[in-house]
């Protein structure tokens, strides 16, 4: 296993009285893809959102335990959440480009981080779009509205937007579930390329997708981490019966 | 919740078991015909091989369609992968039964030769190993897999010894060359039958326990070497670590 990037220690999360995560302990390696799988309501998206403190926005959420990124507890008071989210980008199920030009969608993040030099911004936009494998499709229409792009292109644009602020970790919540198989394939290829430089954590309901793109797989059920291991192992001989039943569709 | 493709898996299991039973019967009859010099039974075995071939194709096609349509994982994946391999092994075993049947006529002119070479014991051991492995295939009980490996080793040693003796005879008596060649072909078929039996046993362990134990038999016949080679191999345990002791192993479901 490579260096560990994210560690959680006894992470427990409640929505009001309801426990959504029960004492999760996991070590997520750097520059690899880790997939979270499990049935709806198992806590995998809640857990993903905890990793860049997106749950802070929900008033009823109470968190116990620790999440350490590069050894630092991200729930410590001194942590600047804006900086944290710069370091940990997120891509959602539904692509959410700003109602701005393609160029401005990408330049937005760097600009609010103080980069105003046009040449520098152009460079960032080009690199980000290239790294998100969408440059060739949009290079001649950068001033056009991002809303005119197809769903698959919009999702890659959102990934490019995430890359523009140079994160270390990218969290993806069902990034391809609303896309056709060709766009899905492009996103999966992109994930494979991006892991050379980024730590990627992906939540997916599509188990074949988890099998295809991830190096490690974590199976969640009823707020518990049931099994975590190499994807190759989980999908050939999982150790836990519940994992076996879930991935083979015998669940329930 | 029963999955619709559960029926396909049941069908596959049923067909592989049927293939196993059919091949075990072919092998048993081939040995029976060999020991009794029964050329009529030999002819029937050769004829019946068509059934084995037909079933071989049916199993291949079923596996192919399950792979394509159901994208199996975990235990389902292991079952289908292993079914393909076992099907292949069983089909080859059927061919070896035919090889033995084809050589009976050339050997039956020398009625005492099998007894002189103590081949009856080898034949019975091989009949037993095939029968035992098919029982394991039907029951998925891996408790006796070690016995299969031991028996295969023993068969190997004995066939080698008898082959050496036959070659020795051939060097001195040119008149025995034809029957001796036929016997060597039969002994080779016997050795292969034992080999395929161990392959099938390995496949069943993979289905049931998810452990890959092939190419570990070297460790098996030399425990000390197994212990040494285990050091520093990370997650590559020796055969003894991989297989439960017979007393602890329990029959598996399905």
């Amino acid at each position: 296993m490579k260096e560990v990037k994210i560690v959680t220690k006894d992470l427990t999360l409640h929505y009001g009285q309801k426990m959504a995560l029960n004492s999760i302990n996991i070590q997520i390696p750097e520059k690899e893809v880790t997939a979270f799988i499990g049935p709806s309501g198992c806590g995998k998206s809640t857990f993903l959102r905890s990793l860049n403190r997106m749950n802070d926005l929900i008033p009823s959420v109470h968190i116990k335990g620790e999440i350490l990124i590069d050894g630092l507890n991200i729930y410590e008071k001194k942590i600047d959440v804006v900086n944290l989210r710069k370091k940990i980008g997120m891509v959602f199920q539904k692509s959410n480009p700003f109602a701005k030009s393609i160029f401005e969608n990408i330049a937005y993040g760097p600009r609010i981080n103080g980069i105003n030099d046009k040449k520098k911004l152009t460079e960032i936009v080009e690199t980000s779009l290239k790294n998100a494998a969408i440059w060739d499709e949009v290079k001649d229409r950068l001033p056009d509205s991002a809303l005119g792009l197809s769903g698959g292109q919009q999702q890659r644009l959102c990934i490019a937007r995430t890359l523009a602020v140079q994160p270390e970790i990218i969290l993806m919540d069902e990034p391809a579930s609303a896309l056709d198989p060709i766009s899905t394939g492009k996103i999966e290829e992109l994930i494979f390329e991006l892991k050379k430089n980024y730590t990627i954590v992906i939540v997916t309901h599509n188990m074949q997708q988890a099998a295809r793109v991830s190096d490690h797989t974590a199976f969640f059920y009823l707020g518990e981490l049931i099994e975590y291991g190499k994807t190759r192992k989980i999908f050939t001989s999982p150790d836990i019966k519940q994992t076996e039943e879930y991935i083979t569709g015998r669940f329930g | 919740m029963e999955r619709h493709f559960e029926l396909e898996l049941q069908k596959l299991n049923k067909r592989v078991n049927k293939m196993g039973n059919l091949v075990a019967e072919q092998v048993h009859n081939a040995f029976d015909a060999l020991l009794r010099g029964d050329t009529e039974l030999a002819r029937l075995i050769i004829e019946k091989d068509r059934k084995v071939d037909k079933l071989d194709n049916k199993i291949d096609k079923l596996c192919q369609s399950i792979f394509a349509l159901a994208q199996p994982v975990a235990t389902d994946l292991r079952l289908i992968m292993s079914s393909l391999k076992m099907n292949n092994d069983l089909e080859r075993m059927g061919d070896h039964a035919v090889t033995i049947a084809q050589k009976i006529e050339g050997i039956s002119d020398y009625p005492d030769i099998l007894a002189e070479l103590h081949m009856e014991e080898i034949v019975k051991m091989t009949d037993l190993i095939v029968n035992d492995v098919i029982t394991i295939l039907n029951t998925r009980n891996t408790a006796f897999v070690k016995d299969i490996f031991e028996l295969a080793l023993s068969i190997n040693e004995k066939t080698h010894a008898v082959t050496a003796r036959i070659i020795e005879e051939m060097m001195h008596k040119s008149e025995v060359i034809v029957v001796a060649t036929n016997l060597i072909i039969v002994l080779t078929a016997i050795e292969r039958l034992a080999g395929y039996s161990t392959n099938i046993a390995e496949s069943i362990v993979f289905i049931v326990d998810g452990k890959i134990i092939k190419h570990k038999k070297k460790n098996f016949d030399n425990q000390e070497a197994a212990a040494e080679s285990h050091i520093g191999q990370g997650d590559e345990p020796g055969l003894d670590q991989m297989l439960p002791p017979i007393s602890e192993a329990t029959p598996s479901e399905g």
Side-chain angles (χ1 to χ4, degrees):
Chain A
M1 204 189 241
K2 293 188 178 172
E3 291 284 306
V4 174
K5 186 74 178 172
I6 306 169
V7 177
T8 72
K9 291 182 181 169
D10 295 324
L11 187 79
T12 298
L13 185 147
H14 284 84
Y15 288 115
Q17 296 297 310
K18 193 184 176 302
M19 184 188 274
L21 293 171
N22 185 8
S23 197
I24 307 294
N25 289 289
I26 196 169
Q27 299 196 342
I28 295 172
E30 189 179 32
K31 292 181 185 173
E32 291 195 311
V33 181
T34 301
F36 293 169
I37 60 168
S40 297
C42 70
K44 58 189 187 301
S45 289
T46 298
F47 184 56
L48 188 81
R49 285 199 304 270
S50 302
L51 300 179
N52 68 346
R53 293 186 52 176
M54 290 290 277
N55 291 321
D56 289 11
L57 306 170
I58 306 167
S60 63
V61 163
H62 303 286
I63 291 181
K64 273 196 299 185
E66 290 181 356
I67 299 178
L68 307 171
I69 292 180
D70 294 329
L72 282 178
N73 185 355
I74 63 165
Y75 280 88
E76 266 182 24
K77 279 191 180 138
K78 64 177 182 188
I79 295 286
D80 176 349
V81 179
V82 174
N83 274 336
L84 177 78
R85 294 198 190 127
K86 205 170 88 182
K87 189 174 173 179
I88 309 169
M90 192 155 187
V91 178
F92 299 87
Q93 178 174 10
K94 196 171 176 309
S95 52
N96 50 358
F98 305 134
K100 290 172 179 284
S101 71
I102 293 168
F103 184 95
E104 283 305 320
N105 261 273
I106 311 300
Y108 185 83
R111 201 172 265 143
I112 59 165
N113 282 315
I115 300 171
N116 286 307
D117 178 49
K118 177 80 179 163
K119 197 176 157 220
K120 179 78 185 152
L121 281 174
T122 308
E123 243 177 63
I124 293 173
V125 169
E126 182 172 338
T127 311
S128 305
L129 290 168
K130 276 182 177 165
N131 289 342
I134 191 179
W135 172 251
D136 288 340
E137 292 160 63
V138 300
K139 63 183 176 195
D140 300 326
R141 47 199 278 217
L142 296 178
D144 296 357
S145 169
L147 301 177
L149 297 171
S150 74
Q153 287 171 329
Q154 286 189 10
Q155 193 62 306
R156 278 179 287 143
L157 181 82
C158 291
I159 293 173
R161 193 175 62 190
T162 306
L163 300 181
V165 293
Q166 298 184 306
E168 293 171 20
I169 298 167
I170 304 173
L171 307 178
M172 297 185 170
D173 195 353
E174 295 272 4
S177 66
L179 304 179
D180 67 75
I182 292 170
S183 301
T184 299
K186 284 182 182 165
I187 298 283
E188 289 179 4
E189 283 308 310
L190 180 56
I191 291 171
F192 194 79
E193 282 302 310
L194 290 175
K195 76 172 180 180
K196 290 174 189 159
N197 298 308
Y198 306 91
T199 302
I200 297 174
V201 186
I202 176 170
V203 161
T204 178
H205 272 123
N206 179 339
M207 269 174 302
Q208 291 308 319
Q209 181 170 70
R212 284 192 297 266
V213 304
S214 72
D215 303 294
H216 303 270
T217 297
F219 169 56
F220 288 83
Y221 183 56
L222 298 177
E224 310 227 355
L225 175 61
I226 305 294
E227 187 167 356
Y228 175 50
K230 285 190 174 166
T231 298
R232 203 183 308 160
K233 169 90 166 69
I234 298 276
F235 282 91
T236 51
S237 343
D239 288 329
I240 314 281
K241 196 163 176 256
Q242 275 168 304
T243 316
E244 171 101 35
E245 287 177 346
Y246 181 69
I247 64 169
T248 57
R250 289 185 173 91
F251 213 76
Chain B
M1 182 172 57
E2 181 144 44
R3 304 163 310 156
H4 73 275
F5 104 99
E6 197 74 47
L7 294 173
E8 296 291 287
L9 294 180
Q10 283 169 14
K11 198 196 282 178
L12 178 63
N13 271 329
K14 220 169 140 186
R15 281 189 190 164
V16 174
N17 288 349
K18 188 177 170 188
M19 181 78 163
N21 295 334
L22 181 60
V23 168
E25 185 193 324
Q26 285 281 84
V27 170
H28 176 79
N29 286 342
F31 286 147
D32 188 28
L34 175 71
L35 293 178
R36 293 193 293 106
D38 186 340
T39 50
E40 176 53 23
L41 182 55
R43 193 186 57 77
L44 291 174
I45 291 161
I46 295 163
E47 217 167 75
K48 211 172 179 180
D49 190 50
R50 262 182 296 175
K51 259 190 163 176
V52 175
D53 291 347
K54 216 171 149 188
L55 199 48
D56 169 42
N57 281 339
K58 274 175 95 171
I59 292 169
D60 269 2
K61 278 184 191 159
L62 185 55
C63 290
Q64 199 181 330
S65 83
I66 298 174
F67 268 128
L69 304 178
Q71 290 105 37
V73 292
T75 184
D76 302 335
L77 175 70
R78 302 203 302 271
L79 173 72
I80 299 157
M81 271 177 65
S82 300
S83 294
L84 268 175
K85 290 174 82 171
M86 291 193 296
N87 184 41
N88 203 33
D89 290 339
L90 287 165
E91 194 275 332
R92 297 296 298 132
M93 287 167 85
D95 288 347
H96 286 303
V98 168
T99 303
I100 294 168
Q102 284 167 338
K103 298 299 161 199
I104 289 170
E105 200 171 358
I107 299 169
S108 59
D109 295 340
Y110 301 82
D112 302 327
I113 200 157
L114 296 173
E116 275 172 31
L117 293 167
H118 305 292
M119 274 183 63
E120 198 166 326
E121 189 194 356
I122 301 176
V123 162
K124 281 188 176 155
M125 284 167 79
T126 313
D127 197 16
L128 182 70
I129 198 175
V130 172
N131 195 52
D132 282 358
V133 88
I134 299 306
T135 305
I136 293 174
L137 171 69
N138 289 328
T139 59
R140 303 289 154 91
N141 182 347
T142 54
F144 303 106
V145 161
K146 273 185 174 178
D147 297 351
I148 298 288
F149 295 152
E150 274 171 0
L151 198 50
L153 269 177
S154 193
I155 291 167
N156 253 356
E157 281 165 14
K158 287 186 193 298
T159 52
H160 286 174
V162 175
T163 305
R165 215 184 125 192
I166 293 170
I167 291 169
E168 184 77 27
E169 289 285 317
M170 285 164 89
M171 290 198 310
H172 296 110
K173 298 180 204 161
S174 60
E175 66 272 21
V176 300
I177 282 179
V178 174
V179 66
T181 308
N182 284 332
L183 282 170
I184 288 174
I185 291 170
V186 167
L187 283 164
T188 308
I190 285 175
E191 198 188 328
R192 293 313 306 134
L193 284 168
Y196 284 119
S197 299
T198 62
N199 288 359
I200 293 171
E202 288 162 4
S203 291
I204 297 162
V205 170
F206 183 60
I207 296 174
V208 175
D209 304 325
K211 289 169 183 164
I212 299 169
I213 58 165
K214 65 179 178 177
H215 310 310
K216 305 274 182 191
K217 288 188 288 298
K218 217 187 280 174
N219 294 358
F220 183 70
D221 64 24
N222 184 343
Q223 296 297 325
E224 246 179 60
E228 274 171 26
S229 67
H230 179 49
I231 296 166
Q233 280 191 354
D235 56 356
E236 287 279 306
L239 191 71
D240 254 19
Q241 281 80 35
M242 303 179 91
L243 286 175
I246 287 174
S247 58
E248 280 179 26
T250 50
S252 73
E253 290 168 24

